[in-house]
Amino acid sequence: MPVQTPIKLGLPFSKFPLPGSLLLIALAASNAAEGGEPLSNQAASQQADYQIRSQTLDKALVDFSLKSGLQIIADGKLTTGITSPGVSGRYSQEQALQKLLAGTGVTVQTNRNGTVTLEKAAVPAPQSGETTLKEMTVIGNSVQDSTDPYNKDYAVTNSSSATKTDTAIIDTPTSIQVVPRAVIDDQKASTVTDTLENVSGVRTQPALGLLSNVIVRGFSVQNVYRNGLKSNDNFPFQFDTANVQSVEVVKGPAQLYGRTEPGGLVNITTKKPLDIPYYSLEQRFGSYDLYRTEWDATGPLNKDKTLLYRFTGSYQSNNSFRDFVANDRKLFAPSITWKPTDSTDATLDLQVVDQDFSADFGLPVINKRPAPIPISRSLGDPNTPASHLNQVQLGSLLNHRFNDDWAIHSRFLASFDDVKQTFVTPTPAFNPGAALDQTTGIMQRNVSYEEDYGDKYATNLDMTGKFDLGFSKHEVLLGFDFYRSFHNYGLKGFYNTPDPALAIDIYNPSYGIPQSVFDTALLTSQRPLRDRSVFFNQWEGVYFQDQITLWDKLHIMGGGRYDWAETGRGRSATYEQANALVDSVTRKDDGFSPRVGILYQPIHELGIYGNWTTSFGANNGISATGGNFDPQIGEQFEAGIKTSLFDEQFLSTLAYYHVTKDNLLTPDLSTADPDDSIAVGQERSQGIELDMTGQITDALSLIGSFAYTDARVTKDNNGLQGKQLSNVPEHAGSLWVKYDFSGHKTLNGFSVGLGTVAAGQRQGDIDNTFQLPGYTRVDAFAAYRWNIKKTKVTAQFNIRNLLDKQYYESTDPNNYVAPALGVAPGAPLSAIGSLRVEF
């Protein structure tokens, strides 16, 4: 054990107590400072595995000293007879000491300014000749809480998404990336898809001004999870970040969650009520008439802090670099937490989103490249009625801890969606050759409309526990979950029959569709007996997991899940008739999905890992003949290296993976029905990924990524075998660096940041008939923080696409139009100015 140097203590008394009642705790660290000045105290924040059983306090303190390297000296008369509950698990030194002292009459209080205060919980009256030590202060840095709204730390050490337990990322044998709130604030990301640009192997796809899809490791991931529960079904939405605490991406099949794509899982963690008062109001102004107000208020509702609240939200109004495109979005998210006992807490949260937006299909392709027309040019019409989204989500979380080792967790989420979209589209929407004359540039168009009403319910019950068995340590999980959804989906208008009067010249457009044309389209159906569909999904699963630790160096994870799935779809002239047909076409599937992983740490800062994971997914699509499909099966092999450097403040993961997916569905563009699907057989993705995030120094923060992705069709009977998967570049990466001149823990001072996002050439469709060129985008920001009495003020200026490069993000991910008719360009140079006040 290295030699330790005692930290000087600030002791609030003028003379030492008499020798029979001396209680002196001398905490030591390798980087002590003279005169009691604040220390970096790296050892105090470093986490370690503690296994100290319940015993007398004096013996527990001796065990703690041996494990932590901190020297603890105490008079046996004051500690003998007092029982410590012990501590079991992975904690920082400060956290471990808090648990060790629980119920002993000595408490540890962490203050916001970084000092740690040890206080006697109950002080007896002093006896004659004695002086009672009331308080002493240990000078040093405390461990920052990731939920602290003042926390500007990029470092993330733990994640619960991959294992459903709060496990150190360095100890988890799978690839996990977390985008913390500090990054979201610095980048002024207003949507979750913006934050995902920081993660390797992830591509975002905007569509029609509202919806957004995500590709992870080459595979489309339409399902986004919210606090561990499925938040949406086949119809992806854009998620506002006002109520987001962090965004976590689990790479590969996340089989603990049931129906997930083999590429990975995106889980959004929302803000929770805090027991400290905090209020924030931010105003942003930006390019294209951007106006955004964002607020956050939280704190206790009573003196004993058993009832907490939080109210977050935002209002955003903006136009776009695209003609005739606008957005108006409101989000309200109140929540409340009740803590009836120290071992039980219950949280209820509500989130309401109301949005008016403009549908926008993007630009067409000419000769294997996006058309050479201004990226601002819309080929819709300014008279198109606004589209509308309303979404209500009601969630709950219940935690009960039986003791320090065993607990149960129950979650619930109900989502209610109502979407109506009207748009002018190329027609026929799924036949580029017929819709666009590439010689003359004349595009045929017509008006179409779609609506979607969805009700979704998700819940789960988990039990977690820790125990020792011989020389092995175990953390186990047993759980059950249930998911059920209904979607009513309808089409009106003409997506397949052009109106010659609405044809437009993409090089010299003219606009002005009469309102009567929209009115007529909304009363018309091209499929009068099949324009209403009801989608039904039901999912139940049971799962188990055991995380085993041997000799504090070898971590083994094993588990499995059994699923029962039902999927069906009815189509008819009315929703009632379609619903009556669902039972007759419902398919039932079940299956078992195992996984295993192993990670070895030759030193604490380095982990070498590998895993084998499978997934099970039912196919929701329906073929042109009305049949359904066998379930989807995913399988992944992954190996990698993890490092934890700079006192565990900087994490990196280098991974190689090989993922296959069988029975994958893609739209059948040979039929008139946009919802018809085909199963292409098997697709495979393999590659190398690097992710880095955290603090290199107190002043220098970084989050970065790189991905090499080889994703293509490997089995197919329709001529697609060997084709690359669409919108997936072979090479892509990102880097965001921030420098705080006063250090990131200082709540005032100047900071600057510079970032880049790069992607290579991508195939625009599954047939590889055209390509999107590669690009590099540069972003930057500068901010200044200062205090006005007790109010903290931050002025910030962000620039996106600093070099004003022209680039193209993706093709339409949801196939409202054929990919060659729907290319989404990236925004040119954009600026955002913001002012935030916190108190």
Side-chain angles (χ1 to χ4, degrees), residues 109-358:
Q109 179 66 41
T110 302
N111 303 316
R112 185 178 301 280
N113 63 4
T115 65
V116 179
T117 303
L118 276 66
E119 300 175 342
K120 291 286 290 182
V123 182
Q127 298 178 6
S128 177
E130 293 184 345
T131 301
T132 301
L133 174 63
K134 295 183 177 180
E135 182 180 279
M136 57 186 173
T137 301
V138 181
I139 304 297
N141 291 332
S142 63
V143 179
Q144 284 196 301
D145 183 357
S146 62
T147 64
D148 185 345
Y150 292 103
N151 186 7
K152 304 300 179 183
D153 200 335
Y154 280 20
V156 179
T157 58
N158 286 37
S159 171
S160 60
S161 292
T163 62
K164 291 195 174 184
T165 60
D166 189 24
T167 305
I169 295 176
I170 189 67
D171 296 340
T172 307
T174 189
S175 181
I176 312 162
Q177 279 72 51
V178 181
V179 182
R181 184 70 210 186
V183 173
I184 298 174
D185 287 336
D186 287 341
Q187 296 181 348
K188 293 303 173 194
S190 62
T191 63
V192 167
T193 50
D194 290 337
T195 72
L196 292 173
E197 290 185 321
N198 297 287
V199 182
S200 69
V202 177
R203 298 292 302 167
T204 59
Q205 295 179 273
L208 293 174
L210 166 71
L211 306 182
S212 187
N213 195 33
V214 178
I215 296 174
V216 182
R217 287 187 169 173
F219 296 103
S220 175
V221 178
Q222 293 184 341
N223 300 321
V224 175
Y225 282 67
R226 180 180 185 269
N227 298 325
L229 293 177
K230 195 174 180 181
S231 177
N232 66 296
D233 215 329
N234 294 322
F235 302 89
F237 293 102
Q238 187 62 273
F239 293 86
D240 193 288
T241 58
N243 191 37
V244 173
Q245 184 63 45
S246 65
V247 180
E248 303 187 9
V249 179
V250 180
K251 303 293 188 64
Q255 61 68 266
L256 282 180
Y257 294 85
R259 186 178 182 179
T260 60
E261 297 298 321
L265 174 144
V266 177
N267 183 38
I268 298 170
T269 301
T270 60
K271 295 178 179 179
K272 303 295 190 298
L274 303 177
D275 60 2
I276 58 171
Y278 172 78
Y279 311 95
S280 171
L281 180 65
E282 179 176 314
Q283 183 61 58
R284 301 180 195 175
F285 299 94
S287 302
Y288 311 110
D289 300 318
L290 170 68
Y291 177 95
R292 179 179 174 88
T293 304
E294 195 170 297
W295 64 87
D296 188 358
T298 187
L301 290 172
N302 54 4
K303 292 183 178 180
D304 59 4
K305 297 184 179 182
T306 59
L307 199 61
L308 315 174
Y309 83 96
R310 194 157 194 169
F311 180 46
T312 66
S314 65
Y315 169 72
Q316 179 169 323
S317 175
N318 63 272
N319 291 320
S320 169
F321 71 97
R322 301 275 297 155
D323 296 334
F324 324 136
V325 173
N327 174 68
D328 188 277
R329 181 172 66 240
K330 297 175 283 291
L331 180 145
F332 304 95
S335 58
I336 191 166
T337 295
W338 178 43
K339 297 182 176 181
T341 68
D342 291 338
S343 59
T344 304
D345 60 83
T347 299
L348 182 68
D349 66 88
L350 176 69
Q351 180 170 295
V352 179
V353 177
D354 190 84
Q355 183 171 359
D356 293 313
F357 63 97
S358 303

Side-chain angles (χ1 to χ4, degrees), residues 352-492:
V352 179
V353 177
D354 190 84
Q355 183 171 359
D356 293 313
F357 63 97
S358 303
D360 177 21
F361 62 85
L363 303 176
V365 169
I366 299 289
N367 297 326
K368 297 187 177 183
R369 285 292 190 273
I373 60 178
I375 61 173
S376 61
R377 181 168 297 168
S378 172
L379 298 175
D381 194 86
N383 294 334
T384 305
S387 299
H388 183 73
L389 158 73
N390 182 265
Q391 183 185 63
V392 178
Q393 294 185 310
L394 178 65
S396 67
L397 171 63
L398 174 65
N399 297 304
H400 178 71
R401 292 161 290 280
F402 298 103
N403 50 45
D404 287 343
D405 296 328
W406 291 91
I408 56 173
H409 316 276
S410 177
R411 303 173 182 87
F412 173 79
L413 178 64
S415 300
F416 308 96
D417 308 320
D418 182 354
V419 183
K420 298 179 177 66
Q421 297 185 93
T422 303
F423 31 83
V424 179
T425 58
T427 313
F430 303 100
N431 188 341
L436 176 64
D437 187 326
Q438 296 213 7
T439 302
T440 64
I442 300 299
M443 176 185 286
Q444 303 297 322
R445 301 182 304 167
N446 214 327
V447 176
S448 60
Y449 166 90
E450 74 163 11
E451 61 187 20
D452 172 53
Y453 308 93
D455 296 345
K456 301 176 286 293
Y457 305 90
T459 188
N460 79 329
L461 178 64
D462 292 340
M463 173 175 283
T464 58
K466 300 176 183 179
F467 61 89
D468 293 347
L469 187 61
F471 55 84
S472 62
K473 304 170 186 176
H474 296 255
E475 185 167 4
V476 295
L477 166 73
L478 299 173
F480 163 82
D481 60 20
F482 175 84
Y483 177 80
R484 184 183 181 94
S485 73
F486 283 94
H487 275 278
N488 294 336
Y489 176 76
L491 285 171
K492 295 179 183 179

